[in-house]
Amino acid sequence: MASRIVTVFGATGTQGASVVNAILKDGAFTPRAITRNPTSEAALKLAEGEPRGQSITNYFEPSIFPGNPTGEIEQGKNLIDAAKEAGVKFFVFSSLPSMSRISAGKYTQARHFDNKEAIDAYLRSSGMANASIQLGGFFENFWMWVWLHLGATQSSKSISFNLLKKTDTGYNIAIQKFDRAAVHNWTWVTRDVRTSVLALLKNYDDPAKKVSGKVYPVITICITYPALAEMVGKTLEVEVTFSTPETSGMKELDEMFACQSEFASEFFKGIPIPNPELVELGAEFSSIDEFMETEVKSRYAHIL
């Protein structure tokens, strides 16, 4: 019997690449990797067997940001319509909760959150078997850079998430508008997304598992920034501080962090960590201690 095909959009991105890698390693499915730019460096490395990457819809794509804020919704709907027309049996979407909804209209500029929830609703109404995952902040943002196109009147620029900024005595983590006592949800994407999506793919067609139509938060840990800084400091044996600048220079990012800080308890409310539904389906979650040892120490200890 031929292996079932899993088509992964955004296969050159952090999420997509982790899923492609998981499928290749597991062997139960055949991956089909889709990327917007097949001649990009990441796509060429993917063809050579080094998948890595970006997400299924991209609010910050030049054709969308900043002049077409609902363009991401069009992306998502087009993907869903095409999948339904092609007879796709199961659709997994990487979603986010709406900040406009969570804040009762106080925060409306973090459209990449609102758009994802709108696409999610469209997916559930499509008639296809489906599931959505929702992630916290990427632990990969410790070292990632993102290239943003800022429109015809502004130059494109790279935004450094690169959370650990070197200081004279160690490092500083600077997150604008984030209260020191507020918790933040984090996801180790390359570890926990791949195992969660694979678990959904392997169980969606079992009626007893009741996978379809659900939203599954994939969260590795929920922690305050000062506590996170303390953990990094212990791992690297240096001083790691936390500061809260007034702005990042982008209203979307400023509102994103302001909303997450003020309404921290409303994100993924009531879902234990790790998500017991995903664990029951066979997903295996990593720990922050493992992340500190395998990623933070290996990437930063040698430059102190």
Side-chain angles (χ1 to χ4, degrees):
M1 183 170 140
S3 176
R4 289 177 292 176
I5 294 173
V6 176
T7 301
V8 181
F9 284 84
T12 57
T14 305
Q15 295 181 64
S18 71
V19 174
V20 172
N21 280 326
I23 293 170
L24 287 170
K25 183 177 180 180
D26 181 76
F29 307 95
T30 298
R32 177 176 291 161
I34 307 294
T35 180
R36 294 183 186 90
N37 182 3
T39 63
S40 69
E41 179 184 357
L44 293 174
K45 288 191 175 184
L46 173 64
E48 294 168 1
E50 299 181 35
R52 56 183 191 168
Q54 203 167 342
S55 74
I56 192 169
T57 61
N58 183 10
Y59 173 76
F60 294 103
E61 182 184 282
S63 65
I64 293 174
F65 177 79
N68 182 21
T70 61
E72 184 184 16
I73 298 176
E74 296 171 23
Q75 280 185 344
K77 287 184 175 180
N78 288 340
L79 285 169
I80 293 165
D81 290 344
K84 186 174 181 179
E85 184 177 345
V88 167
K89 302 300 183 185
F90 182 58
F91 194 108
V92 180
F93 179 58
S94 180
S95 186
L96 288 168
S98 166
M99 288 194 172
S100 293
R101 174 183 55 79
I102 287 174
S103 68
K106 180 175 181 178
Y107 297 107
T108 61
Q109 297 302 309
R111 296 185 180 94
H112 52 299
F113 276 72
D114 295 354
N115 290 348
K116 294 284 197 303
E117 186 166 282
I119 297 168
D120 214 359
Y122 188 79
L123 175 61
R124 287 195 297 274
S125 69
S126 70
M128 279 189 296
N130 68 86
S132 294
I133 60 171
Q134 291 185 342
L135 312 184
F138 287 22
F139 263 142
E140 287 76 4
N141 285 349
F142 267 76
W143 57 84
M144 276 178 58
W145 291 74
V146 177
W147 185 261
L148 299 180
H149 177 85
L150 300 180
T153 61
Q154 303 180 63
S155 299
S156 297
K157 66 176 181 178
S158 59
I159 297 293
S160 170
F161 284 112
N162 193 21
L163 286 183
L164 295 184
K165 303 295 194 302
K166 194 76 178 68
T167 66
D168 292 339
T169 58
Y171 291 98
N172 179 63
I173 298 175
I175 301 294
Q176 63 273 16
K177 299 182 180 296
F178 218 97
D179 190 277
R180 296 181 63 86
V183 294
H184 194 187
N185 295 287
W186 290 93
T187 303
W188 191 357
V189 176
T190 50
R191 290 290 190 91
D192 294 347
V193 168
R194 67 184 182 185
T195 184
S196 296
V197 171
L198 192 60
L200 294 173
L201 291 171
K202 288 188 168 185
N203 289 281
Y204 81 89
D205 55 354
D206 182 348
K209 301 296 178 60
K210 299 180 181 179
V211 168
S212 186
K214 290 184 179 179
V215 176
Y216 295 87
V218 180
I219 306 299
T220 306
I221 193 171
C222 185
I223 191 172
T224 66
Y225 275 101
L228 179 64
E230 182 179 358
M231 291 192 73
V232 175
K234 287 182 178 178
T235 300
L236 299 179
E237 298 182 339
V238 296
E239 179 185 43
V240 179
T241 54
F242 171 60
S243 62
T244 56
E246 181 59 27
T247 181
S248 66
M250 289 183 60
K251 62 184 179 181
E252 286 85 359
L253 294 183
D254 287 352
E255 283 217 356
M256 178 184 78
F257 286 117
C259 183
Q260 288 176 319
S261 176
E262 183 174 351
F263 295 95
S265 63
E266 297 300 314
F267 285 85
F268 317 124
K269 188 174 182 179
I271 304 295
I273 299 173
N275 189 326
E277 289 190 308
L278 288 172
V279 172
E280 187 175 347
L281 293 174
E284 297 178 357
F285 283 78
S286 307
S287 70
I288 190 170
D289 291 330
E290 186 180 3
F291 175 77
M292 292 292 164
E293 285 297 314
T294 61
E295 296 286 3
V296 174
K297 182 177 286 188
S298 66
R299 290 175 182 273
Y300 292 95
H302 68 285
I303 60 177
L304 293 172

